[in-house]
Amino acid sequence: MEKSNDSSEYGFILVGFSDRPRLELVLFMVNFTLYSVAVLGNSTIILVCILDPRLHTPMYFFLANLSFLDLCFSTSCIPQMLVNLWGPDKTISYAGCAVQLFSFLCVGSVECILLAVMAYDRFAAVCRPLHYLVIVHPQLCLRLVAVAWGSGLANAIVMSPLAMTLSRCGRRRVNHFLCEMPALIKMACVDARAVEMLAFTFAILIVLLPLALILVSYGRIAAAVLKIQSAAGRRKAFNTCSSHLTVVSLFYGSIIYMYMQPGNSASQDQGKFLTLFYNLVTPMLNPLIYTLRNKEVKGALKRVLGRQP
C-alpha cells in the first residue's frame, strides 16, 4: 500500500467542527475546562494512591493505572483539538497524525482490558474475601497490567501503519477532530476491506472479549451478593463495585454505541460528539466517581493534605 505524497508532505486537515464556526469557541471553552478538570482529577488520584500507604492495595494500584491511562487518552488528542478550535489552522502533520493514532489505539485498548482486570479484582474481593490478598498478589497485579499494555501496544503496532499507509490519492481532509482509524480508512481510494476486517477482529478481542469477562465477573458478584444475609453486608459489597461498574457503563456504552452499529447509522456529528464523550468526559468523570463514592479515597485526600491524621 502506497503512502500519499500529499499527506506525507503536507499532513492532514482535521475538519472537526469547522462547519459550525460559532460552535467552535463554545467547544473550546467547554473542552478546555473539562480537560483541565480531567488532568487535575486524575493526577490527584495517582498522587494520593502513591503517597498514602493505606492505598497500597491491588484495587488502588489498578485505579492509579486507570487514572494514568485516562490522562494519556485525553492528552493524545484534546490539546491538538483545542489548538484547532482556537484558530483557523486545522492542520496536523503526517508524523503528528501517526503519533496521535498510535497513542489513541494503544491507550484505548489498554483501558478496555484494564477495566476487565479491575472487574476480576472486584470479583475476588467480594466472592473470595478471605483469600483476596493471596489471589490478587502484587506479582499478579504487575502481570495483568503488563498483559493489558502488551495487548494495547500490539493492536497499535499492527493497525497504525496499516491505516496510515493506505493510498488516499491526495485526499487530506479528515472528517473528525482527531486522526481516528475509521475516519482515515474512509479516506482511502483503494479497497480497504482487509484492513477493516482486521480492525474488526482486534475489536472483538480487545473490546467485546474484555466486556464479556466483565459481565461474567459481575454475574458472579451479583449471585454472591444475593446470598449475603445482612442488608449491611449487601450494601458494603455493592459499594465496593458500584464505582467501577459506573465507569465501565460510561466507557463501554459510548464505544459500543459508536463502533458496533451497522454501516453509517450514526451521523458524522454524532460520531464526533460520542468520541469526545469517551475521550474527554469519561476521563473527567472517573476521578469524581471514585472520589465521591469512596470513603478511603476521601480519607486519603484529607491525610495527604494534612487535614486528618
Short mmCIF file of all heavy atoms in Angstrom, two decimals, residues 14-15 22 45 59 65 70 78 80 90 101 110 128 164 179 214 226 238 254 256 259 279 300:
data_model
loop_
_atom_site.label_atom_id
_atom_site.label_comp_id
_atom_site.label_asym_id
_atom_site.label_seq_id
_atom_site.Cartn_x
_atom_site.Cartn_y
_atom_site.Cartn_z
N LEU A 14 -7.75 18.47 9.82
CA LEU A 14 -8.77 17.94 10.71
C LEU A 14 -10.00 18.84 10.63
O LEU A 14 -10.01 19.94 11.18
CB LEU A 14 -8.24 17.86 12.15
CG LEU A 14 -7.05 16.92 12.37
CD1 LEU A 14 -6.52 17.05 13.80
CD2 LEU A 14 -7.42 15.48 12.07
N VAL A 15 -11.01 18.37 9.93
CA VAL A 15 -12.21 19.18 9.71
C VAL A 15 -12.88 19.55 11.02
O VAL A 15 -13.27 20.69 11.25
CB VAL A 15 -13.19 18.44 8.78
CG1 VAL A 15 -14.49 19.22 8.65
CG2 VAL A 15 -12.56 18.23 7.41
N ARG A 22 -19.49 29.16 14.89
CA ARG A 22 -19.99 29.74 16.13
C ARG A 22 -19.90 28.75 17.29
O ARG A 22 -19.82 29.16 18.46
CB ARG A 22 -21.44 30.19 15.96
CG ARG A 22 -21.60 31.36 14.99
CD ARG A 22 -23.05 31.79 14.91
NE ARG A 22 -23.21 32.91 13.99
CZ ARG A 22 -24.39 33.47 13.71
NH1 ARG A 22 -25.50 33.00 14.28
NH2 ARG A 22 -24.46 34.49 12.88
N ILE A 45 -5.60 11.58 41.86
CA ILE A 45 -5.79 10.17 42.19
C ILE A 45 -4.45 9.43 42.18
O ILE A 45 -4.14 8.64 43.10
CB ILE A 45 -6.76 9.51 41.20
CG1 ILE A 45 -8.18 10.06 41.37
CG2 ILE A 45 -6.77 7.99 41.37
CD1 ILE A 45 -8.90 9.63 42.62
N MET A 59 -6.55 -2.92 44.50
CA MET A 59 -7.62 -2.08 43.95
C MET A 59 -7.12 -0.70 43.56
O MET A 59 -7.41 -0.18 42.47
CB MET A 59 -8.76 -1.96 44.97
CG MET A 59 -9.86 -1.01 44.54
SD MET A 59 -11.14 -0.89 45.81
CE MET A 59 -12.17 0.40 45.11
N ASN A 65 -3.44 3.15 37.79
CA ASN A 65 -3.16 2.85 36.38
C ASN A 65 -4.27 3.37 35.47
O ASN A 65 -4.01 3.89 34.38
CB ASN A 65 -2.99 1.34 36.18
CG ASN A 65 -1.58 0.86 36.46
OD1 ASN A 65 -0.72 0.88 35.59
ND2 ASN A 65 -1.33 0.45 37.69
N ASP A 70 -6.29 7.39 31.60
CA ASP A 70 -7.21 8.48 31.27
C ASP A 70 -6.46 9.75 30.90
O ASP A 70 -6.85 10.48 29.98
CB ASP A 70 -8.16 8.74 32.44
CG ASP A 70 -9.29 7.72 32.52
OD1 ASP A 70 -9.57 7.08 31.49
OD2 ASP A 70 -9.88 7.56 33.60
N ILE A 78 -6.82 15.84 22.79
CA ILE A 78 -7.51 17.06 23.20
C ILE A 78 -6.66 18.32 23.01
O ILE A 78 -7.17 19.33 22.49
CB ILE A 78 -8.01 16.95 24.65
CG1 ILE A 78 -9.01 15.80 24.78
CG2 ILE A 78 -8.66 18.26 25.10
CD1 ILE A 78 -10.22 15.91 23.88
N GLN A 80 -4.41 19.01 20.76
CA GLN A 80 -4.43 19.31 19.33
C GLN A 80 -5.79 19.85 18.92
O GLN A 80 -5.90 20.81 18.13
CB GLN A 80 -4.11 18.05 18.52
CG GLN A 80 -4.16 18.23 17.01
CD GLN A 80 -3.04 19.11 16.48
OE1 GLN A 80 -1.88 18.90 16.79
NE2 GLN A 80 -3.39 20.11 15.67
N LYS A 90 -6.29 24.26 10.82
CA LYS A 90 -6.84 22.95 11.23
C LYS A 90 -5.90 21.80 10.86
O LYS A 90 -6.30 20.64 10.88
CB LYS A 90 -8.20 22.70 10.56
CG LYS A 90 -9.18 23.85 10.63
CD LYS A 90 -9.59 24.16 12.05
CE LYS A 90 -10.61 25.29 12.09
NZ LYS A 90 -10.93 25.71 13.47
N LEU A 101 -2.74 8.69 16.28
CA LEU A 101 -3.45 7.42 16.01
C LEU A 101 -2.88 6.29 16.85
O LEU A 101 -3.62 5.51 17.47
CB LEU A 101 -3.36 7.08 14.53
CG LEU A 101 -3.96 5.73 14.12
CD1 LEU A 101 -5.47 5.72 14.35
CD2 LEU A 101 -3.65 5.42 12.65
N VAL A 110 -5.66 -0.59 25.98
CA VAL A 110 -5.21 -0.93 27.33
C VAL A 110 -6.32 -0.68 28.34
O VAL A 110 -6.56 -1.49 29.25
CB VAL A 110 -3.95 -0.11 27.71
CG1 VAL A 110 -3.55 -0.40 29.16
CG2 VAL A 110 -2.79 -0.44 26.80
N ARG A 128 -14.26 -13.95 47.16
CA ARG A 128 -13.21 -14.68 47.87
C ARG A 128 -12.53 -13.74 48.87
O ARG A 128 -11.30 -13.56 48.84
CB ARG A 128 -12.16 -15.22 46.89
CG ARG A 128 -12.70 -16.16 45.84
CD ARG A 128 -13.03 -17.53 46.39
NE ARG A 128 -13.39 -18.47 45.34
CZ ARG A 128 -14.60 -18.62 44.84
NH1 ARG A 128 -15.59 -17.86 45.30
NH2 ARG A 128 -14.85 -19.49 43.87
N MET A 164 -2.27 4.24 8.28
CA MET A 164 -1.55 5.42 7.81
C MET A 164 -1.02 5.26 6.38
O MET A 164 -0.86 6.25 5.66
CB MET A 164 -0.38 5.73 8.74
CG MET A 164 -0.77 6.23 10.12
SD MET A 164 -1.74 7.76 10.10
CE MET A 164 -0.60 8.91 9.34
N CYS A 179 -7.08 12.10 14.43
CA CYS A 179 -6.75 11.06 13.46
C CYS A 179 -7.24 9.73 13.99
O CYS A 179 -6.47 8.97 14.61
CB CYS A 179 -5.24 11.04 13.21
SG CYS A 179 -4.64 12.47 12.29
N ILE A 214 -16.05 -8.97 31.95
CA ILE A 214 -16.63 -8.06 32.95
C ILE A 214 -18.04 -8.52 33.33
O ILE A 214 -18.40 -8.58 34.51
CB ILE A 214 -16.66 -6.61 32.41
CG1 ILE A 214 -15.24 -6.05 32.32
CG2 ILE A 214 -17.51 -5.71 33.31
CD1 ILE A 214 -15.15 -4.73 31.59
N LEU A 226 -26.41 -11.71 46.50
CA LEU A 226 -27.76 -12.15 46.84
C LEU A 226 -27.77 -13.19 47.96
O LEU A 226 -28.78 -13.36 48.65
CB LEU A 226 -28.44 -12.73 45.59
CG LEU A 226 -28.80 -11.72 44.49
CD1 LEU A 226 -29.33 -12.42 43.25
CD2 LEU A 226 -29.81 -10.69 45.01
N PHE A 238 -22.06 -3.89 47.44
CA PHE A 238 -22.49 -3.03 46.34
C PHE A 238 -21.59 -1.81 46.22
O PHE A 238 -21.18 -1.42 45.11
CB PHE A 238 -23.94 -2.60 46.55
CG PHE A 238 -24.43 -1.61 45.52
CD1 PHE A 238 -24.75 -2.02 44.23
CD2 PHE A 238 -24.53 -0.26 45.83
CE1 PHE A 238 -25.19 -1.11 43.28
CE2 PHE A 238 -24.96 0.66 44.88
CZ PHE A 238 -25.30 0.23 43.60
N SER A 254 -20.54 4.17 25.43
CA SER A 254 -20.30 5.10 24.32
C SER A 254 -19.53 4.43 23.19
O SER A 254 -19.84 4.65 22.00
CB SER A 254 -19.55 6.33 24.82
OG SER A 254 -18.35 5.97 25.48
N ILE A 256 -19.40 1.12 22.36
CA ILE A 256 -20.23 0.13 21.66
C ILE A 256 -21.29 0.82 20.82
O ILE A 256 -21.55 0.43 19.68
CB ILE A 256 -20.86 -0.84 22.68
CG1 ILE A 256 -19.77 -1.75 23.26
CG2 ILE A 256 -21.95 -1.68 22.02
CD1 ILE A 256 -20.24 -2.64 24.37
N TYR A 259 -19.21 2.19 17.68
CA TYR A 259 -18.47 1.32 16.78
C TYR A 259 -19.19 0.03 16.41
O TYR A 259 -18.82 -0.62 15.44
CB TYR A 259 -17.11 0.96 17.40
CG TYR A 259 -16.16 2.11 17.42
CD1 TYR A 259 -15.85 2.77 18.61
CD2 TYR A 259 -15.58 2.58 16.26
CE1 TYR A 259 -14.98 3.84 18.63
CE2 TYR A 259 -14.71 3.66 16.26
CZ TYR A 259 -14.41 4.28 17.45
OH TYR A 259 -13.56 5.35 17.47
N ASN A 279 -13.56 10.21 25.15
CA ASN A 279 -12.18 10.65 25.16
C ASN A 279 -11.91 11.77 26.16
O ASN A 279 -10.77 11.99 26.55
CB ASN A 279 -11.77 11.13 23.76
CG ASN A 279 -10.29 11.29 23.60
OD1 ASN A 279 -9.80 12.40 23.52
ND2 ASN A 279 -9.56 10.20 23.56
N ALA A 300 -7.92 9.48 52.33
CA ALA A 300 -6.53 9.61 51.90
C ALA A 300 -6.24 11.04 51.43
O ALA A 300 -5.17 11.58 51.70
CB ALA A 300 -6.25 8.62 50.76
#
